Amino acid sequence: MQKPGAGTRAAQADRTRTSILKAAVKVFSRQGYAGARTEQIASQAQCNERMIYYYFGSKDELFVSVLEHIYAQFNRAEARQRFDLAQPRQAIRDLVAFTWNYYLKHPEFITILGTENLLQGVHARKSSNLRALSGTAVGMLEPIVRAGQEQGLFREDIDIRHVYLMIASLCYFYNSNLHTLSCFLDDALASPSEKHNWLGFISDLVLRGLARGGEGA
């Protein structure tokens, strides 16, 4: 039998843990791993600093949880999308658009992954959940590609991981290097019109890569 108040305490613990995670995402994305301080995260979460160590053990383990958290958020947002498998070409366009717009709306996703790559994936390798999370993301793409193959629109020799990498990289690189590219190319890449044009270009590019027999998009 559950003790009186046990449910309330569990709910409070979940709220505290969630508040710490949200605060950590903000601080790590702004300060990077090395620059972030647990006292900053505690202040942002409006909790005692010792709660970070109670729930996560260390700053290192907190960052692992942050990585899992941002990937899980991406997966949940993607899972809410509805892709029409009867129209696989349009479904691919919709998936590319979702990925592109998610990156635009969640710059913390870009910066935190950039931080972890600078650290050579040391925290990602400590996670026991990232492989499952990546499987979920790739799994959203697979039925679309299969539908296109069944309709004779997409090539049969497709590696789903390559398609996923193509979509992710085309969406990620533009956003992760936006400021330097704008200076280097002397172009207003941050403007809404340029972003819209890039989305159209990469959608066409992905479809050309999938097309059977060199057919266009």
Side-chain angles (χ1 to χ4, degrees), residues 105-164:
K105 294 175 183 176
H106 297 275
E108 73 281 358
F109 190 83
I110 301 294
T111 54
I112 288 174
L113 292 186
T115 293
E116 179 60 4
N117 279 290
L118 285 173
L119 296 170
Q120 300 182 340
V122 63
H123 301 94
R125 285 193 294 273
K126 294 178 182 178
S127 171
S128 58
N129 297 319
L130 282 188
R131 184 62 61 87
L133 290 168
S134 71
T136 300
V138 174
M140 293 294 294
L141 176 62
E142 189 169 14
I144 301 174
V145 172
R146 191 184 309 119
Q149 290 170 329
E150 290 171 355
Q151 292 183 32
L153 300 173
F154 297 163
R155 294 160 36 200
E156 296 293 335
D157 61 338
I158 291 170
D159 187 322
I160 295 293
R161 293 171 303 170
H162 291 171
V163 183
Y164 178 83

Side-chain angles (χ1 to χ4, degrees), residues 20 57 65 111:
I20 292 171
S65 294
T111 54

